Amino acid sequence: MTLGISLTTVTRNQTKQFLRILCNPFQKFLSLSQPNSLNLNLRCSKSHFSCATLQQTPHLFDESSQPDLAQYNGLLFDYSRNNKKEALNLFLGIHSSGLPVDGSTISCVLKVCGCLFNVTAGRQVHCQCMKLGLLKDITVGTSLLYMYMKTENVKDGRSVFDHMEERNVVSWTSLLGGYAQNGMNEQVLELFLTMQMEGIKPNSFTFAAVLGALASGGMVENGVQVHCLIVKFGFETTTFVCNSLINMYLKSGMCKDARLVFDGMETKSAVTWNCMISGYVTNGLDLEAFKTFYDMRRAGVKLTQMVFSPLMKLCANHKELGFARQLHCRVLKDGFSFDPKIETTLMVAYSKCNEMDDALKLFSMMPEAQYVVSWTAMISGHLQNGQIQEAVELFCLMNKEGVRPNHFTYSAILIAQPTISPFQIHAQVIKANYEKSSSIGTAILDAYVKLGNIKEAAKAFEQIDEHDRDIVAWSAMLAGYAQIGDSEGATKVFMQLVKEGIKPNEFTFSSVINACAAPTAPLEQGKQFHAWSIKSKLSDALCVCSALTTMYAKRGNIDNAYQVFRRQRERDLVSWNSMISGYAQHGRAKKALEVFEEMQRENMEMDDITFISVISACSHAGLVDEGEKYFNMMVKEHHISPTMELYSCMVDLYSRAGMLDKAMDIINRMPFPASATVWRTLLAASRVHRNLELGKHAAEQLISLQPEDSAAYVLLSNIYAAAGNWHERREVRKLMEQRKVKKEAGYSWIEVKNKIHSFLAADHSHPMSDHIYSKLDELKIRLKDIGYQPDTDYVLQDIANEDKETILSQHSERLAIAFGLIATPPGTALQIVKNLRVCGDCHTVIKLISLTEGRDIVVRDTTRFHHFKAGSCSCGDYW
């Protein structure tokens, strides 16, 4: 024990008294609970009281003084308001000196125990109450109730309340406030009703406690009814009751109702103004918040600490650097610069205004630099300004300084990958025992998803506490499966989510619908989730509509995609881009350009993705002049710098049109080295247009960038084969074998009755193989009868023409179509997906099959959709 003064200054009698006090078990515990304080009866003998208001107080414990209970209680009350630790010490002196105490004394010290969160001391005072027979005192009972509720011992507090012989409105209000403080909001409403049924009339403090619980519990409907009671009981003009009403309405998003209460108040305190400003900021009504602050200044209301944080958030939201600096000056002038919350919001405002130097200066001058929130704010500020390395260095320094990161810190620093490893951060999180937190678990999950490591993402998801998994975590897991095109995994997670009683939101539906856009996803699955979103009244949400548009377009149903797009009440940039891109993939260039023109009329802001979609549409339709026009428009009118993807689109535009010289000119004029995609595009065009020299050059460049990519070798060997240069073709194939590069096998698949059927070229593994080849023979005869002649130039092997015809007739897409014809009723549309580009001969054959069989056939290859109908294709034989 550390004593405040030396025992040598204490008289012999006082020393004996002090030792006697220490032998008292009750005194001993309370003295230990305040190690840096000395009992007041010792301190009074040689020194004045530390509190200025008590400096003239006589030596209460001198033997010559006559004990005066009222004097002790007055002193105790004074200390309880100004210095609660000293109040507890004073009670020790009173108790140990054997002086009498009454209900007022006990009541006061119980409230002190509650404020100090010292439940052990409170329980011992409770015992004293029982010994002294003071439990019947309603004031003591209410204070006991307050102490237990304040220290989160709700069960004990309720037990005290239930055993009280008499209860008044203060007792009930303490009970209601205790339940509200401990988050038991529904019970607050039940108790409030019980209170009225027992004939207890609520006072203004009762209403304030109930409104706080209703606000926290989101029970605004009941709050409106309580508002009516407030008017009925005549408390509608009480300032702090009105403050509680304003708070409840703002937390429920009912800003107009909050404003009506605010405007109807006769007297507005600083808390009232602060509440309105903070509520407007929380609800995104920034302009109203600014106006309210302006009105507050005009009304001459003194600024308090509470008003600065929401105002700083406004500055951060709107990057109002000038206003932030003015507020900073005001903070310094009013002496609030010591408040870490205000300093942190100032740092955030400077960070959002791209003034990292000012934020760093403020951080370095903070008296509490070890404050974890300020470290996290600085790390986040660096990340938001693209200073990833600085953020990582600050995070390392934070650990070195012994400041323990919290869940916000870990969530923020995970954005810094690949500079920082998610595996390392995950290890730290587990060590800090944060892995079960939903916010951190979701951030780790998202980091793994961005790495494409869905296995580790799923592990992180499973580590999150089952009761703490919120809808954000579920949506992130779904987004991970959608990113890798695993519709089966996404569907399982979605069904698990529903099974556990979690209500999907618009982002959940958006993620699972995006997963259904994968080529391997069942065709009807996306439609089922569409129907589910309609049932949940979320189908009109912006992100859901964009996901539906993309899903229908990628699954071959461009008309349904357009219907969703047309029904959208609100469209953002993603919606427009999805529709233009969808039409481009389906070869409907005119429709894509019509949507683009409509987008221009709507004065929508465009980005590079918009022009990639537009130029791709022109490329697939051979609209070279239009493509050039839109590229120039992008640069000159919209001031968008061309990216690698945009240059690649222009190379594709010229290459498909056979303008290989212009394509090379684009490559030579690019401000950065051409990517593998650019060279692959040029190589494919060189094969189609049989430009051997350019093809060799493109292949060399592609192989140097991606030596393991089989496409470069295959395309180059095909160029040699088409030119009849079989020796060079064999050399390329030999090089592939030496480098262990394997050609990707071509395969096609079709969905029939919710089951996927896959086929390789010349595949005989399907159970209905005999029927499939029989159907192919039948088709071969019928097609030759109407003039079909196989184009054996597409078989790039040095073999007889008869063998080449056999190879062509057994391509994977023909096997899939033949199966579809025998496995579905006549007239049923067929949809085929192929992992490689459709060859020219198969394209001709499928056109003829659509004519002779009377079927609509949709084929999706690596570049686009082909819609075959009545002997023609949507691509116009240009692809």
Side-chain angles (χ1 to χ4, degrees):
M1 181 181 296
T2 302
L3 302 181
I5 59 175
S6 173
L7 288 176
T8 58
T9 63
V10 185
T11 65
R12 181 178 301 176
N13 290 337
Q14 289 169 329
T15 303
K16 289 180 180 179
Q17 184 183 11
F18 180 70
L19 293 172
R20 185 177 70 252
I21 293 170
L22 288 182
C23 293
N24 183 312
F26 182 71
Q27 163 67 27
K28 185 175 181 181
F29 169 77
L30 291 178
S31 298
L32 288 170
S33 70
Q34 306 294 337
N36 295 319
S37 301
L38 184 63
N39 298 327
L40 187 61
N41 58 323
L42 298 177
R43 297 180 66 182
C44 290
S45 62
K46 294 289 183 180
S47 60
H48 296 293
F49 290 107
S50 58
C51 183
T53 59
L54 304 176
Q55 287 179 352
Q56 305 303 321
T57 304
H59 295 174
L60 298 178
F61 300 111
D62 286 352
E63 293 179 1
S64 59
S65 300
Q66 294 297 321
D68 186 345
L69 183 61
Q71 192 176 12
Y72 300 152
N73 285 346
L75 186 59
L76 186 64
F77 296 151
D78 202 346
Y79 266 132
S80 69
R81 286 192 297 270
N82 298 293
N83 192 331
K84 291 179 173 55
K85 291 183 179 180
E86 290 294 346
L88 198 54
N89 280 333
L90 176 58
F91 174 72
L92 299 178
I94 295 172
H95 172 76
S96 301
S97 301
L99 298 175
V101 294
D102 62 3
S104 298
T105 315
I106 295 295
S107 177
C108 181
V109 78
L110 282 169
K111 289 179 182 178
V112 168
C113 290
C115 292
L116 292 175
F117 213 77
N118 194 336
V119 66
T120 309
R123 291 188 190 281
Q124 294 190 359
V125 176
H126 189 173
C127 293
Q128 289 298 114
C129 294
M130 297 173 67
K131 290 179 181 178
L132 298 172
L134 294 174
L135 288 179
K136 294 182 180 181
D137 188 324
I138 191 171
T139 306
V140 173
T142 302
S143 298
L144 263 173
L145 169 61
Y146 170 84
M147 184 273 296
Y148 281 124
M149 289 296 185
K150 190 75 174 177
T151 55
E152 299 179 359
N153 289 277
V154 178
K155 187 176 179 181
D156 292 329
R158 182 58 189 264
S159 178
V160 169
F161 179 81
D162 291 338
H163 287 87
M164 289 175 67
E165 295 182 4
E166 182 185 357
R167 304 170 191 147
N168 59 14
V169 66
V170 180
S171 310
W172 278 96
T173 302
S174 293
L175 183 70
L176 292 170
Y179 273 99
Q181 177 189 321
N182 287 279
M184 304 169 73
N185 301 311
E186 293 182 3
Q187 289 90 326
V188 171
L189 187 60
E190 293 174 6
L191 288 168
F192 180 64
L193 297 174
T194 305
M195 170 186 171
Q196 294 178 81
M197 289 173 64
E198 291 190 9
I200 304 296
K201 183 180 177 181
N203 62 17
S204 55
F205 298 100
T206 314
F207 282 116
V210 172
L211 288 171
L214 297 177
S216 299
M219 297 181 283
V220 68
E221 295 86 358
N222 302 111
V224 173
Q225 296 173 346
V226 172
H227 191 172
C228 296
L229 284 176
I230 289 169
V231 175
K232 180 180 178 181
F233 284 103
F235 294 120
E236 71 274 15
T237 58
T238 305
T239 301
F240 66 87
V241 174
C242 290
N243 291 346
S244 298
L245 275 170
I246 291 170
N247 176 59
M248 180 196 68
Y249 283 129
L250 288 170
K251 280 189 175 180
S252 304
M254 300 171 66
C255 299
K256 291 183 179 179
D257 296 88
R259 187 72 198 197
L260 286 172
V261 175
F262 178 81
D263 290 338
M265 291 177 68
E266 296 177 0
T267 305
K268 300 181 181 76
S269 65
V271 175
T272 313
W273 290 94
N274 295 348
C275 190
M276 280 304 300
I277 293 170
S278 180
Y280 277 142
V281 173
T282 303
N283 285 280
L285 301 173
D286 293 350
L287 183 59
E288 285 78 0
F290 276 123
K291 288 179 179 177
T292 305
F293 176 68
Y294 177 72
D295 292 340
M296 178 183 182
R297 300 300 294 137
R298 288 184 60 191
V301 180
K302 184 178 179 180
L303 299 181
T304 63
Q305 287 175 254
M306 300 301 294
V307 78
F308 286 102
S309 291
L311 289 173
M312 291 300 177
K313 289 180 183 178
L314 282 177
C315 296
N317 293 342
H318 294 272
K319 297 186 177 181
E320 284 285 346
L321 180 60
F323 188 38
R325 293 196 190 283
Q326 291 177 19
L327 289 172
H328 192 176
C329 292
R330 187 72 196 201
V331 166
L332 294 171
K333 183 179 179 180
D334 291 347
F336 297 141
S337 58
F338 63 87
D339 189 326
K341 186 176 181 181
I342 293 177
E343 288 187 315
T344 302
T345 52
L346 262 171
M347 283 163 44
V348 171
Y350 283 137
S351 299
K352 290 285 183 73
C353 295
N354 304 320
E355 292 291 330
M356 286 307 300
D357 289 341
D358 287 343
L360 198 57
K361 286 178 184 177
L362 190 61
F363 176 71
S364 63
M365 291 187 295
M366 287 180 68
E368 296 185 20
Q370 301 295 310
Y371 186 48
V372 65
V373 178
S374 61
W375 282 92
T376 304
M378 281 305 301
I379 291 169
S380 300
H382 282 302
L383 290 169
Q384 290 161 6
N385 286 277
Q387 300 171 358
I388 295 176
Q389 187 61 44
E390 289 83 350
V392 173
E393 290 173 359
L394 199 60
F395 177 75
C396 295
L397 180 62
M398 176 185 183
N399 283 277
K400 189 176 179 181
E401 292 288 330
V403 181
R404 184 182 177 186
N406 61 15
H407 54 289
F408 293 109
T409 319
Y410 286 122
S411 300
I413 198 62
L414 280 163
I415 300 171
Q417 64 167 319
T419 305
I420 200 165
S421 169
F423 294 95
Q424 293 177 336
I425 299 300
H426 195 178
Q428 285 194 35
V429 166
I430 292 172
K431 188 177 179 181
N433 200 28
Y434 277 140
E435 73 277 8
K436 294 183 179 181
S437 165
S438 182
S439 59
I440 294 185
T442 304
I444 293 171
L445 184 163
D446 184 61
Y448 284 132
V449 165
K450 287 175 180 175
L451 288 176
N453 194 335
I454 198 68
K455 186 178 179 180
E456 291 297 327
K459 287 181 181 178
F461 179 74
E462 291 299 327
Q463 285 178 339
I464 300 173
D465 189 279
E466 289 184 8
H467 302 292
D468 197 29
R469 276 185 208 149
D470 56 15
I471 193 65
V472 179
W474 287 96
S475 298
M477 193 67 247
L478 283 168
Y481 282 112
Q483 182 174 308
I484 63 171
D486 186 353
S487 62
E488 184 179 353
T491 302
K492 285 180 180 178
V493 170
F494 187 89
M495 298 310 296
Q496 184 185 351
L497 175 154
V498 174
K499 187 178 179 180
E500 293 190 13
I502 297 174
K503 187 177 180 182
N505 63 13
E506 62 270 32
F507 302 106
T508 318
F509 278 110
S510 173
S511 296
V512 76
I513 290 168
N514 280 328
C516 295
T520 54
L523 287 170
E524 293 300 315
Q525 196 173 63
K527 291 182 180 179
Q528 291 172 359
F529 283 116
H530 186 181
W532 202 331
S533 70
I534 293 171
K535 187 178 179 181
S536 302
K537 297 181 180 179
L538 293 170
S539 60
D540 290 333
L542 197 56
C543 60
V544 176
C545 287
S546 297
L548 285 168
T549 302
T550 301
M551 184 270 293
Y552 280 123
K554 287 188 174 181
R555 297 317 312 273
N557 199 333
I558 192 64
D559 292 331
N560 275 9
Y562 184 68
Q563 289 301 319
V564 172
F565 177 75
R566 273 286 157 226
R567 285 199 298 267
Q568 278 188 258
R569 298 174 183 174
E570 179 187 0
R571 299 186 191 122
D572 63 358
L573 183 59
V574 176
S575 307
W576 290 95
N577 287 351
S578 297
M579 196 66 247
I580 296 170
S581 176
Y583 275 132
Q585 289 176 342
H586 286 263
R588 299 173 69 171
K590 289 185 178 179
K591 292 292 292 183
L593 298 182
E594 285 177 10
V595 174
F596 178 72
E597 297 295 334
E598 184 182 352
M599 184 181 182
Q600 284 187 304
R601 290 193 294 272
E602 295 283 339
N603 293 319
M604 284 294 299
E605 185 178 351
M606 302 175 188
D607 63 0
D608 56 327
I609 305 298
T610 312
F611 286 96
I612 287 172
S613 301
V614 170
I615 297 171
S616 294
C618 296
S619 178
H620 286 301
L623 303 175
V624 177
D625 292 339
E626 287 82 352
E628 290 177 336
K629 181 184 78 173
Y630 291 121
F631 184 83
N632 293 329
M633 176 194 294
M634 174 193 72
V635 175
K636 296 178 181 179
E637 296 181 21
H638 295 275
H639 308 291
I640 297 173
S641 299
T643 61
M644 180 64 75
E645 290 78 9
L646 280 160
Y647 279 119
S648 181
C649 286
M650 290 303 294
V651 170
D652 186 56
L653 176 73
Y654 290 128
S655 297
R656 288 178 185 273
M659 302 178 180
L660 300 182
D661 291 339
K662 282 196 171 185
M664 273 305 300
D665 186 52
I666 286 285
I667 293 173
N668 293 331
R669 288 193 291 110
M670 285 167 56
F672 29 69
S675 67
T677 303
V678 172
W679 291 116
R680 191 180 295 110
T681 300
L682 188 64
L683 178 56
S686 300
R687 186 188 70 80
V688 172
H689 298 288
R690 304 185 181 229
N691 190 322
L692 181 59
E693 292 303 316
L694 189 57
K696 286 174 63 177
H697 176 65
E700 289 171 0
Q701 296 295 325
L702 180 55
I703 290 171
S704 68
L705 291 172
Q706 294 183 348
E708 75 288 348
D709 185 11
S710 64
Y713 303 93
V714 173
L715 288 169
L716 182 58
S717 69
N718 289 346
I719 291 174
Y720 284 130
N725 195 337
W726 301 108
H727 173 72
E728 293 294 338
R729 180 184 181 277
R730 282 192 293 271
E731 289 298 317
V732 173
R733 294 286 179 172
K734 187 177 179 181
L735 183 62
M736 286 182 68
E737 292 177 5
Q738 291 174 350
R739 296 183 176 180
K740 297 181 180 180
V741 177
K742 293 184 178 181
K743 177 186 175 183
E744 183 182 6
Y747 63 96
S748 302
W749 63 91
I750 181 173
E751 182 185 338
V752 176
K753 295 179 181 178
N754 298 323
K755 185 178 179 181
I756 303 293
H757 300 263
S758 301
F759 299 89
L760 291 167
D763 193 353
H764 287 269
S765 63
H766 196 277
M768 296 182 65
S769 182
D770 293 340
H771 296 284
I772 292 170
Y773 279 95
S774 176
K775 184 66 177 179
L776 284 175
D777 291 337
E778 176 194 328
L779 289 171
K780 183 178 180 180
I781 295 170
R782 292 177 63 187
L783 295 184
K784 284 193 174 182
D785 288 344
I786 59 174
Y788 162 69
Q789 290 296 323
D791 188 348
T792 57
D793 288 345
Y794 287 99
V795 180
L796 302 173
Q797 297 180 37
D798 191 10
I799 56 177
N801 279 342
E802 186 177 339
D803 293 329
K804 289 183 178 181
E805 290 182 15
T806 301
I807 290 173
L808 284 173
S809 68
Q810 296 178 358
H811 275 186
S812 62
E813 57 265 49
R814 300 195 196 188
L815 296 175
I817 290 172
F819 172 74
L821 291 173
I822 61 178
T824 60
T828 304
L830 304 180
Q831 184 162 330
I832 315 296
V833 181
K834 184 171 182 177
N835 68 325
L836 300 176
R837 190 175 186 269
V838 175
C839 80
D841 186 66
C842 287
H843 191 268
T844 301
V845 166
I846 299 171
K847 284 197 298 181
L848 295 174
I849 291 174
S850 71
L851 177 64
T852 58
E853 296 291 323
R855 300 280 192 121
D856 291 351
I857 303 173
V858 179
V859 178
R860 176 184 179 178
D861 65 10
T862 53
T863 58
R864 62 178 296 158
F865 283 89
H866 296 267
H867 293 260
F868 298 93
K869 184 175 183 179
S872 63
C873 180
S874 59
C875 71
D877 298 336
Y878 185 91
W879 87 102

